[in-house]
Amino acid sequence: MDQRAAAQDSKGVLSVNDFCQWAGIGRTAVYAEMKAGRLSARKFGRRTIIPQVEAERWLASLPMQRNS
């Protein structure tokens, strides 16, 4: 685990950019997920932060890939 990942685990929240890197998706997709209500975020001043538990809940809610 690198230093940045350790810091994210210890603080319990991700910035939008950190979430994008963690999830492997772009900022537009993150904001679309928030708007659709599938991803919960909080505001801290001007910053948008995503609690780690919400990030993991979002990931668990995604459908499993089916091999056909």
Side-chain angles (χ1 to χ4, degrees):
M1 180 183 303
D2 67 353
Q3 187 176 12
R4 187 173 191 162
Q8 290 170 356
D9 289 341
S10 67
K11 67 182 175 181
V13 296
L14 301 166
S15 68
V16 172
N17 287 338
D18 289 340
F19 180 82
C20 289
Q21 187 175 13
W22 177 83
I25 62 176
R27 291 175 59 87
T28 303
V30 172
Y31 285 106
E33 289 295 294
M34 286 186 225
K35 185 174 182 178
R38 292 185 290 263
L39 178 62
S40 296
R42 307 286 187 272
K43 290 296 282 188
F44 183 73
R46 293 174 55 182
R47 292 187 65 208
T48 300
I49 56 175
I50 301 163
Q52 186 71 37
V53 294
E54 288 298 321
E56 292 171 4
R57 183 200 55 76
W58 171 83
L59 182 62
S61 73
L62 295 176
M64 296 293 285
Q65 179 181 1
R66 294 180 183 231
N67 295 330
S68 32

